[in-house]
Structure formats: structure tokens, C-alpha cells
Amino acid sequence: MDPGTAFAVISLTANAVTIIKKYYKGVAGAQSEIEFLINELESSRNLMERFQTLADSTSKLPMAASLNPNIEKALSELKLLQTRLDPGGKDKVMRRLGMRAFKWPFAKGDVDQCVTQLRRLKEMANLALNSDQTSLIINVDANVTQLQDAQEATDQERQLAKLPTAIDAAFDSYHRQHETLCIKNTRVELLQQHRDWGATHPKPLYWLSGMAGTGKSTIARTLAHHFHSIGTLGGSFFFSRSSGEANNAAKFVGTLARHLANVSPQLKRLISEAIASHEDVIRQGLPNQWKELILTPLSKYQSTGRTMLNFVIDALDECGSDDDVKFILQLCAQAKTVKEVDLGVLVTSRPEIVIRLGFDAIPDIIHQKLDLRDVPRAVVEQDLAVFVECELGRVSQEQQISGWPIDEDIHSLVRLSDCLFIYAATACRYIATLDWDPKERLSEVLTAGSATRGKTAGLDSMYLQVLNSSLKDCGSDEVIEKFCDRFRQVVGTIVVLFDELSASELAGLLGMSEDAVKRSLGRLHSVLNIPQDVGSSIRLLHPSFRDFLLDNKRCTGRRFCVNGSLRHEELAKHCLKLMSDGLKRNMGHLTTPGSTLKDVDRQILRDQLPKHLQYACQYWVDHLAAISTKSEVKRELPNEERILAFFRQDFLHWLEAMSLMAKMSQAAILITRLGNLLDVYYSTCSSIPINSYVGVQSVSDDTTLRSIVEDARRFILNNRGIIENAPLQTYTSALVFSPSESFVRHYYVDQLPGWLIRSPTVELRWDNCVQILEHHDLDFREQIIIFSTDGKYIASTLKNGRIVLWEAATGAVHSTLDSYLHPAVAIEFLQNGILASMYADGAVRLFDQVTGVLFRTLETLVEDPQPAPILDRGLEPIPSMSILPSGDLIVLLQNEQVWTWNWESNAWPGRRVTGTPIQRLYGCLSNGLLVAAIRRNDPDSFDLCLLDIYTSQTQTIEANRIPLIMGPVAISSLDTIAWVNDCGELEVVNTNDMSRTKLRAYDTHSVSTSTFSPDGSMLLSSYRNMALLSWNFSTQSMIAVDRTASKIRSIAFSPDSKQLATSMGRLVKLYRSSARDMSSLRDNRAGTPLVISIASNGKQIAASLGEMASMIQIYDTQNGGLIHELSDGSLMGYFVAFSPDNQQLALKSDDCSLLVWDLRTGTLDWTTSGDRNQLDLVSLTFSPDGRYLVSGNREGEILVWDAKSGNVIHVFGLADEILTVQFSSDGGRIACATHRQSNRADTSGRVIGAWDTNTGELIHEIASSAINASCCFIPMQATISPSGRYLAYSSGDGSVVIYDIESKQQREFSVVPDDTLTSLAFSRDSKSFAACTRGKEIKQWDSETGRSIGVSPINVLGERLSFTENGNFLEFENGHIPIYPTELDLLKRPSRHLSHWWYDRNASWFMEGTRKMLWIPPAYRPEKYKYLVHHDGLFAFSNDKGIHYFKFNQGEEVNDLNEYDGSH
């Protein structure tokens, strides 16, 4: 840390404090926040002064020096702070008008952010300085251990800062500093009971319930404070319906984990290690977060004594999602599983039904309950009397009123409270209002309350009295009416908001002045928490006030009653307008289209997306959905024109904003919800057509808003993953690959990237595939897929033994279940929310589908289990699992035993089916009969049978099925069975009457897997030619759902039959079951066009129709059109070469003959014959002038052909297998690399040779066992310089030898120690050379000195390397990289960086240098890397959808992101 930097921090903090103090006296409403900020600034200044003192005494401060980046960031924050305060130019105005003419320039969030930065700096700086000071004191500067400890502590803070935390949810948060604890001598017995529980945990889960206003939150705060004071508070989370952070569970686990980390250094280390090891966990579902951030660290905690910890969770009923409430209760129930720490969880809530049912599902031995309604009335009234006496006594003391209140008034107020603490608290606040006589107010309360009747009448009367008092001194009826209108607008908004907002944010949302908001709230401090500092959120003091205002039967003062539907409608309009005015492209000021959320400057984001704009983005649909559909509300959709304008102008900006806020899954849910809402509205209004949307309508059609919303939903689901990670891919990848007739593409075509000169041809409309999910651990051999019984989740098995649960609605990963020794062989969802997975050893593991936690393993039943057989081969029994009608599990083991698990007895009552060798269980009929494959007398033959496991009786459905084990069997809910017969037909039998139906065969392609829809109306089958077909029994018709690039391994329907999922390779694809026929898609039987070569001018490409096809197609890259189809019935597309003038194409045929075609006419020029056809070609290239064609074969022959006539000019070679042949740039010399077989007597290894092209004379031969002997099957490990003078080759130890043919001298460079080179290339002037390495890098050297001049990672094993003709780039399989200049070049001309593009196939990104530009979705990726070609910014590659072209801007590098964006 530079002392000068520290001095700058000291100076800036001092100036800032001086400036802020001017505001303190002059600005009303911000004193608390100003004091808060001054204290933090002065604390930071003291720390920097401490450092400067230490720096003056020594220069050896190693740990402090490591904080330079953090200090620089803090310095920037302080400069920004001073700029925003900026009183300098305003001094004259301040003296003239007074400081009160100015506003405090910070919102609460801004101050929190500044303070958070300062505190993090202080924490890390304190650790560093303490370490440095200790080292200096004991003179052990080299004390590595202590320095490492300090660095570790700093790293831990960095990791913990990643946790998603709700600051306001802590019991002692800044926002809760004015919320009271239980007054002394109240709740004595109740509090002691809970303290005793917290010290012993007789049951780990405690539920304290009570009606609204009974004091639950005050009790929870008091207990949290007590646990904190004695060191047993593990964490707290106080839910609040009006807080966006605390009204849901998104930050629940992160907040508790952050609190838990503060309990002890050991837990801090364990939790920070968990974040570092599983960084993605903070973006995963609650179950994974709970397991990795809470349970796992606690299970690793080591202590000498008994460690007691308590979590306090308050107001669980104010968590907005019932599903989240269930999650939390099930997570909390897992406290019993932690053995190393005695963990208890205290939960408070209203006795809502979802919470009651949740606790009922938890065994009594785990939890205990206490309902505050069960506390004796006398005890509650005594506590209320103490509370009222204390509160009114404080008023009496402050206002110097003697002899007041009298005991009779206290008891009267207690009786009116009717055991509701909220009534007493509201009454006391109302009485304590400074501008009124408290005696008079108390009298009003007692008088008004004595006439009330009903359950909430007393509280209602109190609220109405508070509201009426706010109208006093308002003046005329007209003024009162205006005040009430503004009250309903402002306070009505507060009570229906889905998140808390400050006065300034509320003003921004409503489009009114901040002063107008403040005037509306001025006299409502009895019912609202209205902070003095304008940046803090306004909050309801109790949710019962919301209930009162929204209920016109309770709020009898009509001028105060809030029409919730009307307020929601108005807020939806405000939200849409705010987004229209405030959203724009690149709000995060990201520098490249591939920049991630980690690259976003949070200060810029706060400026671009202020809190009220974030609110509008998150909740506009919720406000629309909250509008009542009752008859008193207009039946047409409110704000329809504004919604249409939103989709046409702001939709992409909104998606970017949601990504920046890490809310992409919520975006998918919101648009889906909007679609459902439109269905409801349109169905009630006959004047608006109901759109039966299938795919997408043409943009020119008379479309409805519903169609546009559906198109937007498909856009989100198809691109959620990439937009979530890289926000600006909204305008690039998402838009580029959307269908040409998509509404979104049509509306935003001008947003397409300007640097993409040519885009790939896309589908006209959305196809049946709604979403593609990717997981790096998915494996094509063992993958199984299945929907949960409620349809919310999709389970998919992984190769590492884990099971991943996806959210079916959004495609986000919900949780990843624990791994096992091998992949699961079967998985089933049970009706009780349990996922059962079976393994080869017979073990069955049971997981909770909500929490993802393993709660039971049913014991292994196989003594010596073998790995599970692959389903496509072998005759051993395949371990299988199914569910009986009773709900019991039935499993088939490797030893042919069948066992059932009975839930009532919790045991395996084993049943051996005597004399019935079962091969596989397929499932169970409704009558309990099993559908199984049974081996008969012939060991290679099987019968498809119905089996009664109790009697061992069987009924044969299909006999002597040899390939049965390889074919699928599907069972419907109607007891129908489908399988594939010997003719390749799907045969269906109804087991109720044994009637049979044969579905027409789909040509001759066998079925790989089949399944029935849950309602039995459809049969879905995948074929080995990658077709996915659906048979509809009601219409007796078959449609093509999709054609895929790889074999489908598993199919599953959702329980409602509306969705289906398929698994293949690393992908899971989700479809709509109401699919449109995709028969127009290309039939893969003809072969996918596989790009194999590109002409030197980039205008033509050669493609083969499948690897074994007998046709080569020539395409025009300019328009994508087919030019020629070349075929003689035996063409192979592995070795293809274009002539330099691109008028001829040479290729090897299937019978090893060489064919040369005239590309101008598409006719065959010449072909080889006779013995020449028997030579297996392995290399083929034209001379630079096109006169010659040279080929190499496995017999060691090199043949030079006349390219026009086909005559052989020279035959030479080294009697060794040719690996590669290459011309010098003038065509005068030919070089080749061979592999000499080890059975040769003279030598083995590599041989490099060079010949004169004109004479065929051998110029030089290099034979050495050291020439790259360790990688003899990798081509292009030798090259000749363009001049033909130098030969370069690599050896096995990573060195490169450059041999001068003329001088007979050589130089050897050890350029890549311990690595292997896979390709070499000389520059055009031979001054430098480059090599691809097995380490997936391209390295460049100066050929004169051997000095390394550049290294570029390419993420592929490069085997084809060359310098481009213009000398600007190195070219390899996937694109270009820049050429680094030699020292001589740098002296001659300045270096300039040119735009260069390449494809990173591992990450599926098109790169411009090191910058990610365009992400390629799975449907458009090259099937294999060898089917990708490129030329001068044009890329062409192919997959099952055809050939895709990308043309990128080549030229000077563009340094500003905006220059990349153009109009189309």
C-alpha cells in the first residue's frame, strides 16, 4: 500500500466529513443517516492514519501492499462521494438561501453501499496491518504462516461477500433499530420457556404461532437479542411482506450463512471454503444452498464441548410463496441431521394453513408448538398493563404531565386491546403525537373504543381514529377531499406494494414530487414507520393496517378505504411508463457482448437502474395479475396498448435489466404468468379473439397480444441461460438465432450486431422444442429422465452418480442430489414427494424432491454387486425398479431376485419368483401384474410377459423375442402395452381384452425408446435415425415432433401430458406435447451435409452427405445455394482439395481411386485406374500454381500428377507411411513427413524428406527416432519454408529443429519443454514460425533467435496451422489469431492489432481475439470440429439442421462496444 495513496484517503475522508457536517444542521430528515456515514468515514480515516504512522517507520509492509487494488477502489468511492456532495460551487447559494435549500443527495441504498465498501476495506486492512505490525514487533518479517493466515482471512471476506444477503432481514439491521424488544417484566414466563428451549433443544424445531397483533415479532426480536448476547445465535431472518428482499426466500440461506460465518473463525473458514468450491451454489435452489452453505459446514465443525446454536425465523407467513414456505420448513427439519452442532430453529408465524400442514408433515419428535392464543388471558392482560404503563409513563415524563395516566385508564385501554399488542402499541403512538394533548387523545381512544364490537372492531376503530385525526385543521371540504385522494394514491400504493420503497423512490414510481409524498404521510406516524432519512424505506408498523385499508367492511371511512384493484391497475401503468422512460441498451456499461455479471460496476448499475425502476421491472406483471376480474372492474385488459408498446420497444431492454438484477428465471415466470392472465381476460370478452397459438404467427398476420406474449415466452425460455450469464447476448445470440418470423426479431431487427455481416439461416417459426437444458455431467450412456408427480421438476441422471433436478417452468437447476458409487439404473418419483433412485448393488436411495436431501438409504441386497450392464447389450438381468399400485417399490436385482419395499413395515419382504428367470422389469399394470422380459429355454430368446409375483404365473404377450432386450416397451395408464415387433412396427396390445393394433412402420428404422402420455392418448417414439414421432390414438395419425443430431436415450411426459422431455448426450430438450408436424424437416437418412473443405477464395465449400455417403455437394457461400452434386457412386469425403484457382476439386473415392472434377461444369475431369486405385491415400494437395497435384499414401509413395491430364509425372518416396505432403510457396520443392515402421531394420520413428518437383530428385532426407516419435499419429509435425530452403520438424521432447537444405546446417530450439507439437508453420518471409501444442496453444517464435514472441490459447488440439496470405494472422481449424511481430518488425513499423475471429468449440463462443462476442446455441453448433471451415472472417459449419454461415467484420479492431452495434 503506497503511503501517498493512504494520505489521499485521509485527505478525502477529512474533506468529506467537513462537507457532510454542513448538511447535518441544514438538511431535515437525514440526521440519522449523516451520523451513520460520518462515523464510518472517521473510522476509515483513523485506520489510514494508523497505516501512515506505521509506513513512516518501515517500508516492509507485505500484507498491506497486497491491498492496493482495494484501496484504489475505496479512493474512487470517496472521490465519487465528494463529487456528489459537491458543496464548493454552491457556497454562495447556500449563504443566500440557507442549506435547507438543498437536499441530502443520497438514497439509503447509496449510503449502505458506501459504508459496505468502507467496512470491507477496514476488515481486510485491519487484518493486513495487524499481521504487518506483529511481524515488525517480533522482527519476523518472514513469518510465512502469519502472513498466510492474514491472507486467508482476507480471502474469506471476499468469498463471503458473494453471498446473496438480505440486509434488512437481520434482527438488528439498520431498518429495525427502532423496533422494540419486550419491555421488562412482560412475557416473563413465555420468554423463559423459549430461553430454556434454546439452551437444551429437547426438540430442534420450535413453532410459535399467533394471530396478527399478538406480539410474535417482538418476542422473536427479544429472543434473538438474548441468543446473540450469550453467543448462541447462529442467524436470523425476519420476513416482511413489504420488503422485496425479505418477502421471499431468494436470499434466505445466503443471509443465514453470512450470519453463521460470524459465529466463529472456524465456521467462517468452512463456509468461505464451501463458496469457493461450489461458487455456482449461490445461484442454485434453496436445497443445494442449504446443504452446501449450512449443513456441510456445520457437519465439519469441530469443538471440544457441546456447541449450541439457534436460528430465529420470524413472520414466515409473510414469505410470498407457499412453495418457499414448504421449502423452509423442510430445510429447518433437517436440523436434526447435524450431529456435530446442537442446532435449533425457532419459527414464528400466523397459523396459516400452509404452515400448519407443513408442521403436521414433520414428526412430533422433531418439533414442538406454542400458540399465543393458548396463553391465559390474565397473563396477557398483565403484560399489556405493564406495556401501556411504561409507554404512557414515558409520554407523561417527556411532556411533564403529573398524575397521568391513572390506573383506571390503563386498565380500560388494556381491556380495549383485547389481548392484541398491536392495538395497545398503535394507541400509545397515537396518544404520544407531539402536536396534540395526550390526555385528550387518550380520552378519544377510550370513548371511541367502548362502542366497538366484533373480532377486529377495536383495532379497526383505533385505525379509523388515527386516520380521522390526520384531517384536522385541513380546512374546507375541498381541501379534505384532495388530501384523501392523495392519501389513497400514496398510502394506497404503500399497502399494495410488493417491496418497500423510500419516499423518493415512491415519488419516482408514482411520478409525483417527493414533497407531495411527504405531505401525505406527515400525520401517520402512528401506523407507518416513516424514517427521517429520506433514503430509508417507508414501512407499515403492522400488516393489520394493510388488511384494514383494503377491506371496505372494516374501513368504514369510505374516503380512506383503498380499492386494491384500482391501485394495482394504476401501478401497472406507472411501471410500464417508468420502464419505457428509463430502460435502454447496455445499462451496465459492459465492454463486450460476452461480458458477464461479474464485469458489471455496481455503482453504475445503481445509477442506471435505481430502486424504483428495478421495482417496475420486477413487479409490473404482478400488479396486472392482482387486478380483480370481478364485474365492477372493466372486462377488457387494462393498459393493453401500453403492454403492446412495451413488447415492441422495451422488451429486450427489460430482459437485459432482469439479467443485470440476476432475475432471469423470474422473467420467464412473469411472461408465462402474463400469458395465463391474458387467457383469462380474453376468455371473458367475446370481442377479442382467443389465439390458439401454435408455433408463431407471421408478423403480417392479424395477431393478438397473446401471440406476442407467447413469442416472448419462447424467446426467454430458449435463451434464458445465456442471457442470465451475459446480459448483452440478448441483442446478439438470442436475437440472431430467433426465428425469422418471430415478433421479437421483427420488432428489434435494427438491434442485430453490426459486426456480424452475415447471419446463419434460421427457422421460420419456433419449432416444437421449447427449451434446451445443458449440463456438463450429462452422459449419453446412462442417462434417464423423468418428471415429478406434480410436474414441477425434471430429474436426470448423471454419469458421476448424481441426479440433477431442473425446474420445469424455467429450466433452471433446482438442486443436484448426492453422488453414489455408480450412475443410477432407475429413478422413480413417488406420490409423497420422494424421489427413489436404484443402483446396481440393489441399494435404493430416497431423496426429498423439494429439498434435494437424502433422508434414507434402503439397504443393499446384493452381496457382490457388478457394474450395471449397458442397456444395449449383454444377457445378464438388468436391475430395474417400478411402483406397485399400492405405492410400494418393486425392484429386480442382478441375481434375478424380485424384492418389494413395504412402506408400512419399512422393510424388504423379499419374494423370489421361482423358476421364472426375469431379465427386466418394464413396469406395472393397474391390477398389480408386472410387465417383464422373461428368459425361456433358449438363452438368447425372451418372452414379453405379464407376471404375478405372488403366484409366479405368467401370460405371454410376445414369444421368442431375440432382440427384445434391445427394444423399448411402453406401458400406459390404460393398461396398454406397446413394443416393436420383428417388422419394425409398433405393436400395441390392450391387456384388458388382449386386442392388438399395429401402427404403420416408419420405414425400416428401429425404435430406440417409447413412452405413453399419462392419459394414454399418445405414444411417443424415438427412432435410431434420430426422428421423434408421436402417434395420436384418437385421430389415428402420426406426426414428426423433431429430428435430432444424436440418439434419444430417454423420453418422459409431464403428469398433465402437456410437456415432454427427451435426453440425448449432454442435452435435455423440452417440448410442447401439442406439437405441430415437423415432417418438412430434412430426413437424416439422406445424411447431414458435413462441411469438409473451403475454396481458397472462400466462395465455395465442399460438403459430404454423411460420413459414409457417396456424394459430394458444392455450395456457394455467398447465397448458400447448391452448385453441384458430384457423384460416381463411391465418393468419400475425407480427403478433398481445391485447386488454387478453385476450378478443380480433387478427392478420394471409396475404392481408393483419385478423382478430379471440373467445378465450372460439375463434370469429372479424370480419375485413376488399375493398380493406382489400390493405394490408400492419406494426403492430397495442389501445387501453388495449380499445375500439379501431389498425393501420398500408406505404402510410402508420393505421386506427382499433372492436374489437367491426370498423367503421373513423378513417383518417389521413402517406403514409409506418408503422413503429410507439402509444396514450397513457389511449387519448386515438395516435403513430406513419414512414419517409419518399427519392423524396419535400420531405424524407426520419423523421416523427413524434400524433393525437387520438376526432376523428382531427393534433395535431403532426415531420419531419426527422436523426430516426434511419441506422437507418430499426429499429422503436420514437419513443414517446409515458403522459399523451400528450410525444413522444420519437431521432436518428442518439445524441441524444434530448423534445417537449412542449402548449407546443410541445422539449429535446434527447445521451445516447448515436456510438450508435444502437433503442427508447424513458417511465416511468408520465414522470419518466424509457429506451432500448435498438445496443451491447446499456438506459440510463435523468431526463427533467427528462437525467442518466444507470443502465446495464444485456442482450446482445441490444432492440427492444421498456416500463416494467411496477407501476413496478418495465423490460421488454424477454428479461426484466426494475430501474428505477433518480431523485434525487427517492431523497429520498422508500429504494431497494430487487427480484428480476428475464431470459434471456441469448448465454450461454444465466437471470439474476437480474447473477447467473447457470439454464443452459439446447441441447435447451431458444428456436429464435429472437423466439419467447421473458415476463410477471411467467413465460417461455415454443419449439423443436423444443415450448413450455417457466419461472416464477421475483418479489419481494424473496434475498441468501443457501440461500434460493434449497427442497424440492419
Side-chain angles (χ1 to χ4, degrees), residues 122 144 162 293 395 639 790 1456:
K122 287 191 296 180
V144 178
K162 299 176 183 177
L293 301 178
V395 176
N639 297 304
D790 57 10
D1456 187 85

Side-chain angles (χ1 to χ4, degrees), residues 934-980:
I934 298 176
R935 188 164 61 249
R936 297 302 188 186
N937 297 327
D938 184 351
D940 295 328
S941 178
F942 303 90
D943 291 351
L944 179 62
C945 299
L946 301 182
L947 169 66
D948 188 326
I949 60 170
Y950 299 98
T951 66
S952 297
Q953 292 182 349
T954 63
Q955 182 179 0
T956 300
I957 302 295
E958 180 83 352
N960 298 320
R961 294 286 291 127
I962 295 177
L964 181 61
I965 194 62
M966 300 176 63
V969 174
I971 306 169
S972 78
S973 58
L974 305 177
D975 291 344
T976 302
I977 304 174
W979 73 96
V980 182

Side-chain angles (χ1 to χ4, degrees), residues 316-317 319 321-330 354-355:
L316 182 58
D317 55 285
C319 177
S321 166
D322 286 350
D323 286 339
D324 283 350
V325 169
K326 296 174 186 176
F327 278 4
I328 290 170
L329 290 178
Q330 294 182 47
V354 65
I355 300 177

Side-chain angles (χ1 to χ4, degrees), residues 260-289:
L260 190 61
N262 293 329
V263 170
S264 75
Q266 184 184 167
L267 281 172
K268 179 176 286 188
R269 175 179 59 80
L270 291 170
I271 294 173
S272 62
E273 288 175 353
I275 300 170
S277 301
H278 306 86
E279 189 166 336
D280 287 345
V281 76
I282 62 177
R283 293 181 290 275
Q284 294 178 354
L286 293 181
N288 273 14
Q289 290 186 30

Side-chain angles (χ1 to χ4, degrees), residues 897-1147:
Q897 288 187 357
V898 174
W899 292 70
T900 58
W901 176 268
N902 184 271
W903 294 108
E904 292 184 3
S905 62
N906 278 328
W908 289 107
R911 295 186 181 277
R912 175 69 179 267
V913 183
T914 307
T916 308
I918 302 175
Q919 180 68 27
R920 185 176 182 183
L921 292 179
Y922 289 107
C924 186
L925 303 180
S926 61
N927 58 10
L929 293 179
L930 300 180
V931 181
I934 298 176
R935 188 164 61 249
R936 297 302 188 186
N937 297 327
D938 184 351
D940 295 328
S941 178
F942 303 90
D943 291 351
L944 179 62
C945 299
L946 301 182
L947 169 66
D948 188 326
I949 60 170
Y950 299 98
T951 66
S952 297
Q953 292 182 349
T954 63
Q955 182 179 0
T956 300
I957 302 295
E958 180 83 352
N960 298 320
R961 294 286 291 127
I962 295 177
L964 181 61
I965 194 62
M966 300 176 63
V969 174
I971 306 169
S972 78
S973 58
L974 305 177
D975 291 344
T976 302
I977 304 174
W979 73 96
V980 182
N981 63 24
D982 292 329
C983 299
E985 299 169 318
L986 276 168
E987 192 158 350
V988 181
V989 60
N990 186 331
T991 60
N992 296 311
D993 58 11
M994 301 309 290
S995 59
R996 296 184 179 230
T997 304
K998 292 182 180 180
L999 308 182
R1000 64 184 175 89
Y1002 181 69
D1003 293 333
T1004 59
H1005 295 282
S1006 59
V1007 177
S1008 60
T1009 183
S1010 287
T1011 189
F1012 281 97
S1013 61
D1015 59 10
S1017 63
M1018 288 182 288
L1019 177 65
L1020 193 71
S1021 302
S1022 66
Y1023 290 75
R1024 297 189 186 278
N1025 73 329
M1026 320 310 180
L1028 181 64
L1029 306 180
S1030 175
W1031 181 270
N1032 190 307
F1033 290 100
S1034 60
T1035 62
Q1036 293 293 299
S1037 61
M1038 181 178 67
I1039 65 170
V1041 178
D1042 197 6
R1043 297 188 190 279
T1044 61
S1046 55
K1047 179 182 175 182
I1048 295 174
R1049 298 282 167 170
S1050 182
I1051 308 175
F1053 269 98
S1054 62
D1056 60 4
S1057 299
K1058 292 182 179 180
Q1059 267 190 305
L1060 61 94
T1062 64
S1063 62
M1064 63 199 78
R1066 296 180 180 273
L1067 305 178
V1068 170
K1069 300 181 75 171
L1070 304 184
Y1071 300 83
R1072 295 174 299 111
S1073 60
S1074 55
R1076 62 187 176 94
D1077 192 358
M1078 304 295 285
S1079 298
S1080 59
L1081 292 177
R1082 179 173 41 258
D1083 191 337
N1084 287 4
R1085 291 170 296 157
T1088 296
L1090 303 176
V1091 174
I1092 51 180
S1093 185
I1094 190 167
S1096 60
N1097 60 6
K1099 294 182 179 180
Q1100 295 175 331
I1101 61 171
S1104 168
L1105 280 180
E1107 292 188 358
M1108 302 302 294
S1110 59
M1111 181 183 294
I1112 297 293
Q1113 295 179 324
I1114 308 300
Y1115 289 90
D1116 185 333
T1117 61
Q1118 306 302 308
N1119 56 31
L1122 178 65
I1123 303 174
H1124 299 299
E1125 289 187 338
L1126 313 179
S1127 176
D1128 72 342
S1130 61
L1131 296 189
M1132 289 287 289
Y1134 292 122
F1135 296 101
V1136 175
F1138 281 93
S1139 64
D1141 61 5
N1142 303 303
Q1143 294 182 6
Q1144 286 182 296
L1145 182 75
L1147 56 122

Side-chain angles (χ1 to χ4, degrees), residues 1347 1380-1392:
R1347 182 184 62 84
Y1380 294 93
T1382 63
E1383 292 178 359
L1384 184 60
D1385 291 331
L1386 286 173
L1387 292 174
K1388 289 182 177 179
R1389 57 180 171 81
S1391 174
R1392 63 191 182 100

Side-chain angles (χ1 to χ4, degrees), residues 15 29 52 62 89 356 447 547 732 844 871 877 958 1043 1144 1185 1238 1291 1304-1305 1322 1329 1384 1437 1445:
N15 290 340
Q52 194 171 36
R356 291 203 315 271
T447 301
D547 302 336
T732 50
V844 176
L871 301 186
E958 180 83 352
R1043 297 188 190 279
Q1144 286 182 296
D1185 59 7
S1238 60
S1291 64
K1304 311 300 183 184
Q1305 294 181 349
F1322 274 101
F1329 67 92
L1384 184 60
F1437 51 67
Y1445 300 93

